[in-house]
Amino acid sequence: MKRVVILILVVFSLSNLLFGKTLTMVIMSSKDPKKEGPKYEVLADYLKNSIPEISNIKLRIAKDYPDAVKLFQSGEVDGMFSGSFVASIFIKKGLAVPLVRPVLKNGISTYKAIIITQKGNEYNGIEDLAGKKVAYCKFASSGEIFGRALTNGQDPETIFSPVIVKSHGIGINAVSSGQADFAIIKNLVFDNNSPDNIIVVGGDSSENPNMTLIVTNEISKSFGEQILKTLLKIEYDNTEIANNVKKAFNIKGFTKTSEADFAHTFNNLKKAKIDPVSFNFKF
């Protein structure tokens, strides 16, 4: 029996060396595979150039976050680049391990929620949102989750009228056009799109990791350190394949990310009365 087990392990190891491991990365159905595909193609080129055991990256579309959870649980996928709320849920469920997050060209790798409104309006606390229309993205740390943290876990609809939008940019436009009285959005988006009639009147006290690469426990054990070392060196790597990755992701490099970097995100989960272990992306 021992000989059979050893033979299986040897065959498995040889197959990895000969054919390599194809990493399967999750993207959400809201993303366009035609746009995302080229990014992962250059990332695959860079990884397999440094890690011979990795041969390629393929994409798997998840119809929603519960579907992504099932894909991680079943081992059908190996990782995903994720916003901080979703990443924090996967981490606390024991489904994923954070490795790195992108560093933007301006050196930023974290973000926070801000509250915006039209000039002339005031915001001194949650009471000023009473009866108002508040726009935000669903399941976003700098959107719905911060809104629920503000209400200390109370259903937001008992205080204000949520206006669910598909992007932070749409949230900005909703306030600018008067479709919403306030919006909770990502500060990085507002910094790049600042209408003259909009002001920032509040926001979160600290920041969250931006678009962290999380991988399954199995991949973390098998390739985690190799992937980490490879992606950390990309900032100072001026080869063509390295520059292709930086151009595709519009970044200067990656920085190491651990569970400790999500301390503030976890704190907001507590304020919002969200149990990450049992949470199934339904309120």
Side-chain angles (χ1 to χ4, degrees):
M1 184 63 182
K2 286 184 178 179
R3 290 180 179 178
V4 173
V5 173
I6 291 171
L7 179 61
I8 291 173
L9 290 173
V10 170
V11 171
F12 178 76
S13 299
L14 285 174
S15 66
N16 268 349
L17 288 172
L18 292 172
F19 304 108
K21 165 69 177 176
T22 295
L23 297 178
T24 302
M25 302 291 288
V26 174
I27 62 169
M28 304 311 297
S29 59
S30 58
K31 299 287 187 179
D32 184 354
K34 292 181 180 179
K35 291 183 178 180
E36 296 298 308
K39 292 166 59 176
Y40 287 93
E41 285 178 11
V42 295
L43 181 62
D45 287 341
Y46 189 70
L47 287 176
K48 65 187 182 185
N49 186 65
S50 298
I51 310 171
E53 294 88 350
I54 294 178
S55 63
N56 204 359
I57 294 177
K58 69 177 182 179
L59 301 181
R60 176 72 179 268
I61 298 174
K63 63 181 180 180
D64 51 29
Y65 289 123
D67 186 35
V69 169
K70 291 177 183 177
L71 292 173
F72 265 76
Q73 288 175 328
S74 65
E76 295 177 65
V77 298
D78 301 305
M80 68 187 294
F81 283 96
S82 172
S84 60
F85 172 65
V86 174
S88 69
I89 296 296
F90 277 60
I91 291 168
K92 286 299 186 183
K93 284 182 180 294
L95 296 174
V97 177
L99 288 183
V100 296
R101 64 184 185 273
V103 179
L104 302 180
K105 291 181 179 180
N106 58 7
I108 292 173
S109 67
T110 59
Y111 68 95
K112 67 177 181 178
I114 57 172
I115 302 170
I116 62 171
T117 189
Q118 286 194 12
K119 289 179 179 178
N121 293 336
E122 292 186 3
Y123 175 80
N124 297 301
I126 187 67
E127 62 277 0
D128 289 326
L129 299 183
K132 303 295 185 180
K133 290 180 290 184
V134 181
Y136 53 57
C137 294
K138 196 169 182 63
F139 299 137
S141 289
S142 54
E144 180 179 21
I145 306 309
F146 183 64
R148 289 180 176 274
L150 286 175
T151 65
N152 291 311
Q154 186 176 338
D155 185 349
E157 292 187 3
T158 63
I159 299 174
F160 54 79
S161 298
V163 178
I164 305 301
V165 293
K166 291 185 177 180
S167 72
H168 299 293
I170 294 175
I172 294 171
N173 292 335
V175 173
S176 182
S177 66
Q179 294 177 305
D181 301 298
F182 294 86
I184 301 171
I185 63 165
K186 191 175 188 175
N187 67 317
L188 301 183
V189 177
F190 184 77
D191 289 345
N192 295 322
N193 299 275
S194 306
D196 292 337
N197 66 330
I198 301 296
I199 56 173
V200 178
V201 291
D204 206 349
S205 60
S206 193
E207 306 209 345
N208 311 284
N210 189 34
M211 293 307 294
T212 300
L213 172 60
I214 57 174
V215 297
T216 62
N217 294 306
E218 180 181 348
I219 292 299
S220 176
K221 292 174 183 176
S222 302
F223 300 106
E225 281 300 314
Q226 291 172 284
I227 294 173
L228 175 63
K229 290 178 180 178
T230 300
L231 293 182
L232 288 182
K233 72 180 183 182
I234 200 170
E235 181 176 351
Y236 307 101
D237 186 343
N238 292 315
T239 60
E240 183 179 357
I241 56 174
N243 289 332
N244 286 341
V245 174
K246 288 181 277 190
K247 181 178 179 181
F249 283 82
N250 197 28
I251 59 173
K252 66 181 292 187
F254 291 94
T255 187
K256 183 177 181 179
T257 306
S258 69
E259 185 171 337
D261 292 305
F262 289 85
H264 182 68
T265 312
F266 295 143
N267 187 48
N268 274 345
L269 294 187
K270 290 181 181 178
K271 289 181 180 178
K273 304 290 193 298
I274 297 171
D275 175 14
V277 176
S278 62
F279 186 70
N280 194 33
F281 296 94
K282 288 182 181 179
F283 287 111

